[in-house]
Amino acid sequence: MLAISNAKVFDGIGKVLDGHVIYVKDGKFEAIEPQSDIPAGYRIIDASGKIVTPGLIDVHTHLGISEEGVGKEGADFNETSSAVTPQIRAIDGINPMETGFEDARRAGVTTVQVMPGSANVIGGEMLVLKTAGHIVDDMVLRSPSGMKAATGENPKKYHGDKGRMPVTRMGVAALIREKLIEAQNYINGEKKERKLDMENLAKVLNKEIPLRVHAHRADDILTVLRIKREFDIDVTIEHCTEGHHIADYIAKHDVRVSVGPTMSTRSKVELKDKNWTTIKTLIDAGVPCSLTTDHPVVGIEYLVTSAIHAINHGITEQQALTALTSDAAKHLGVEDRVGSIEPAKDADFVIWSGNPFELSSKVESVYINGEAVH
């Protein structure tokens, strides 16, 4: 049992609690109370002069399946043998010993979503996991947490250059529709034999998981929303780089978006209009937003740095924290477990030397399920 005393707590849901004690028991937050005498049996951690936040969440990563410093042998994130691979699962390609997990912990990132890459029109299932552990199955928070899809230049490049569909944006959209219709027919027909790709897409059509779609350009975002309406499915917009152009329209469609990695370069035509004000425009329009590094496109250790840039371009510190905690948890469908410092939630938290949104502040310690991991 732990008691983090004399803490200034940013709880992740809009409150700043000064001079409080956070009680942790059996890996969960037990209580958050004003400073008082601490009962016997608790190991006391004095957080005087420190700030405590929930563990941070990166909603869109390739952690462990796109290993850094390894080369081709560590590139397990794109099954480019076909443009449509809903049958694959990211969990089968994750190396929990990969250096990026340690980088995440050091940066205060305690939960991540790991997904296939964006080379394929439909890329496969993803999952949410904690960043500490050596056995992936024991780290899992939600699996599957979504089905990956991608629009735009990536699938056009990887498959069009090989002389197969898709060559155009029309072809990308057509392949998504064809596979969803095939899955509808599979659900409605006599299932004489199992088909893993159809079973996985059935989870999308039954709204068990969302279709999480890589979409940078405004026209690609509109295509995703069109498909959402046509098939009555849940979707999230991943990246949403030109979302600031159509923020009010996006807001009408009951979708969550991840914004980023805005710290990356303009490496392709879809990114020429990337802008740090995108997230502010979306939030102002009422669109729930999270921030992402898309690790390893931008290192996961720069998640808070990305938030600082967004703050410098108009969002508040509370909006930034929410985008990295409670809204991020809702984006992933794990808000009952993580994303805020509240009783009964997993005791994932970070103790900072000062304001986390000042570059001079340091991560002093990180806890996952009440256990110190950094």
Side-chain angles (χ1 to χ4, degrees), residues 63-213:
L63 202 65
I65 57 171
S66 179
E67 299 181 51
E68 295 180 273
V70 176
K72 183 179 179 181
E73 291 80 4
D76 281 318
F77 58 105
N78 278 318
E79 179 58 53
T80 55
S81 56
S82 171
V84 180
T85 56
Q87 66 270 32
I88 72 166
R89 294 170 176 164
I91 192 171
D92 297 318
I94 294 173
N95 176 9
M97 313 293 188
E98 200 254 318
T99 307
F101 282 100
E102 184 178 354
D103 291 339
R105 295 191 297 271
R106 287 177 174 172
V109 181
T110 56
T111 298
V112 293
Q113 183 169 232
V114 177
M115 60 181 68
S118 54
N120 293 354
V121 175
I122 299 178
E125 288 186 347
M126 57 194 72
L127 70 157
V128 179
L129 69 165
K130 301 292 184 77
T131 56
H134 298 294
I135 298 172
V136 171
D137 303 72
D138 294 340
M139 299 160 66
V140 170
L141 198 53
R142 183 185 181 195
S143 180
S145 57
M147 173 64 67
K148 179 66 181 289
T151 60
E153 298 305 319
N154 283 15
K156 285 172 55 183
K157 171 186 174 182
Y158 280 98
H159 301 284
D161 286 356
K162 294 178 181 179
R164 63 183 180 225
M165 194 173 181
V167 177
T168 64
R169 281 177 161 77
M170 297 179 294
V172 170
L175 281 175
I176 295 174
R177 288 189 178 100
E178 282 183 350
K179 271 297 172 181
L180 289 174
I181 290 170
E182 187 179 342
Q184 286 177 331
N185 293 337
Y186 177 79
I187 293 170
N188 296 329
E190 294 182 12
K191 304 186 182 89
K192 293 181 179 179
E193 65 177 66
R194 293 186 63 185
K195 296 188 67 177
L196 184 57
D197 57 346
M198 295 295 100
E199 288 183 8
N200 288 354
L201 284 176
K203 298 170 191 174
V204 174
L205 292 168
N206 293 332
K207 296 189 175 181
E208 298 170 40
I209 57 173
L211 190 68
R212 301 192 188 274
V213 191

Side-chain angles (χ1 to χ4, degrees), residues 18-320:
D18 211 348
H20 275 57
V21 184
I22 303 171
Y23 292 97
V24 174
K25 183 178 180 180
D26 298 328
K28 303 283 186 181
F29 292 120
E30 183 183 17
I32 301 94
E33 299 176 352
Q35 187 68 41
S36 61
D37 292 338
I38 296 170
Y42 288 87
R43 181 166 68 87
I44 299 173
I45 299 171
D46 186 4
S48 298
K50 316 295 184 185
I51 289 177
V52 182
T53 70
L56 306 183
I57 302 170
D58 194 330
V59 300
H60 183 121
T61 79
H62 309 288
L63 202 65
I65 57 171
S66 179
E67 299 181 51
E68 295 180 273
V70 176
K72 183 179 179 181
E73 291 80 4
D76 281 318
F77 58 105
N78 278 318
E79 179 58 53
T80 55
S81 56
S82 171
V84 180
T85 56
Q87 66 270 32
I88 72 166
R89 294 170 176 164
I91 192 171
D92 297 318
I94 294 173
N95 176 9
M97 313 293 188
E98 200 254 318
T99 307
F101 282 100
E102 184 178 354
D103 291 339
R105 295 191 297 271
R106 287 177 174 172
V109 181
T110 56
T111 298
V112 293
Q113 183 169 232
V114 177
M115 60 181 68
S118 54
N120 293 354
V121 175
I122 299 178
E125 288 186 347
M126 57 194 72
L127 70 157
V128 179
L129 69 165
K130 301 292 184 77
T131 56
H134 298 294
I135 298 172
V136 171
D137 303 72
D138 294 340
M139 299 160 66
V140 170
L141 198 53
R142 183 185 181 195
S143 180
S145 57
M147 173 64 67
K148 179 66 181 289
T151 60
E153 298 305 319
N154 283 15
K156 285 172 55 183
K157 171 186 174 182
Y158 280 98
H159 301 284
D161 286 356
K162 294 178 181 179
R164 63 183 180 225
M165 194 173 181
V167 177
T168 64
R169 281 177 161 77
M170 297 179 294
V172 170
L175 281 175
I176 295 174
R177 288 189 178 100
E178 282 183 350
K179 271 297 172 181
L180 289 174
I181 290 170
E182 187 179 342
Q184 286 177 331
N185 293 337
Y186 177 79
I187 293 170
N188 296 329
E190 294 182 12
K191 304 186 182 89
K192 293 181 179 179
E193 65 177 66
R194 293 186 63 185
K195 296 188 67 177
L196 184 57
D197 57 346
M198 295 295 100
E199 288 183 8
N200 288 354
L201 284 176
K203 298 170 191 174
V204 174
L205 292 168
N206 293 332
K207 296 189 175 181
E208 298 170 40
I209 57 173
L211 190 68
R212 301 192 188 274
V213 191
H214 163 115
H216 287 287
R217 271 181 23 178
D219 54 342
D220 289 327
I221 296 167
L222 294 175
T223 296
V224 176
L225 297 178
R226 198 174 298 124
I227 290 171
K228 169 183 166 59
R229 295 194 304 269
E230 290 173 18
F231 290 90
D232 186 26
I233 57 175
D234 295 329
V235 305
T236 64
I237 308 297
E238 304 295 321
H239 306 306
C240 207
T241 303
E242 292 188 359
H244 52 283
H245 291 310
I246 54 171
D248 291 336
Y249 187 77
I250 294 171
K252 297 175 182 178
H253 284 80
D254 187 29
V255 294
R256 292 183 173 274
V257 309
S258 69
V259 179
T262 317
M263 279 185 65
S264 67
T265 62
R266 293 179 175 88
S267 57
K268 52 188 174 182
V269 67
E270 296 171 310
L271 303 181
K272 66 181 178 63
D273 201 21
K274 74 181 183 73
N275 196 309
W276 283 110
T277 62
T278 299
I279 188 167
K280 173 176 170 50
T281 305
L282 289 164
I283 290 173
D284 287 350
V287 179
C289 292
S290 305
L291 282 165
T292 180
T293 61
D294 195 10
H295 178 92
V297 177
V298 170
I300 199 163
E301 63 268 33
Y302 299 116
L303 184 60
V304 168
T305 311
S306 299
I308 292 171
H309 282 293
I311 290 166
N312 289 340
H313 288 80
I315 69 170
T316 68
E317 289 187 357
Q318 281 294 345
Q319 287 172 329

